[in-house]
Amino acid sequence: MAKSPLRSVPLIVGNWKTNPATLQEALKFVKSLDKKMASLKIKAAKKAYYLAVPDIFIPHINDVAKYGYIGSQNISGSSLGQETGEVVPSQLLSAGASFAIIGHSEVRARGETPDERAHKVALSLQAKLMTILCVGEHVRDNQGNYLSELEDDVKHSLSLVQRNLFENLVIAYEPVWAIGGKTAATPREAFEVVIALRRALASLAGIEYAKKVHILYGGTVNEENARDFIEEGGVDGLLIGRASQDVGTFFTIIDSCTAKKAGK
Ligand code: PGA
């Protein structure tokens, strides 16, 4: 079984969704990204980015990516056996995946239920995949009710997880209104949610376990705002869609967010 990845901070995760169109393009991207990464001289951890790619690309990209961990954008909650079209965690791991995203809003929109999500999170963590659970409100109300909805979401999604598995858990705060749009949340807005999420984690597992969980922000992250989330938003990293699909932009974000750590 693959070892769970070192969680570098900041944890910069690209979500390629259904991009790029071909394996050849994907390999070209990663080789070009790694060439740029080599110039960074990151001391603390050799692997400094994470890429969630289409499952079929995982083994190929994992073979060439020197500076990144490769993962999946979803897992199946099915058990091993007679389930047409599904991919289960042991298959992802053995193909080179180090992590999985679970509960992305686009997967939720296709009908994933809260119970299915809770089951998937438990399966993924038990399989030793670093697991990135996504949560985010559709709209923000002035009374702050969305904060308790997010806390309830986290509590339900983690209801089947033993707390000794929390150290391989990451939560991505992704406001649905900010995904794929023009406007990101502000670092201050993200900060408020980070506090609410930590509260939910602490009530589930106690403060010591809650502290082990990394929290990311995602939703219209770009070259201009990335570092502000790390510095002012209280997050441990970023989940990046569109801006991870252009090699120059993704590299600029990794560079700007890791520069301090690398002592530059
Ligand atoms: P975006 O997507 O960065 O393009 O807004 C984020 C996501 O879907 O994870």
Side-chain angles (χ1 to χ4, degrees), residues 15 17 104-106 174 178-181 218-221 239-243:
N15 177 10
K17 309 193 180 187
H104 189 280
S105 65
E106 287 154 12
E174 292 213 305
I179 294 176
T220 310
V221 172
L239 180 54
I240 307 167
R242 287 158 296 168

Side-chain angles (χ1 to χ4, degrees), residues 150-228:
L150 293 176
E151 288 182 54
D152 289 347
D153 189 323
V154 165
K155 287 184 196 165
H156 187 78
S157 299
L158 300 179
S159 56
L160 305 176
V161 175
Q162 292 156 339
R163 60 184 190 172
N164 63 331
L165 298 176
F166 269 43
E167 58 187 358
N168 222 5
L169 174 69
V170 177
I171 296 188
Y173 167 52
E174 292 213 305
V176 180
W177 50 266
I179 294 176
K182 289 201 176 89
T183 315
T186 63
R188 194 195 161 89
E189 286 169 333
F191 190 74
E192 281 165 8
V193 174
V194 170
I195 292 169
L197 296 177
R198 293 240 178 258
R199 190 163 52 216
L201 290 165
S203 85
L204 264 178
I207 285 187
E208 284 313 307
Y209 285 93
K211 279 199 287 206
K212 296 182 185 200
V213 179
H214 285 15
I215 299 183
L216 315 181
Y217 170 78
T220 310
V221 172
N222 55 38
E223 288 162 304
E224 281 78 48
N225 63 18
R227 195 169 167 134
D228 296 344

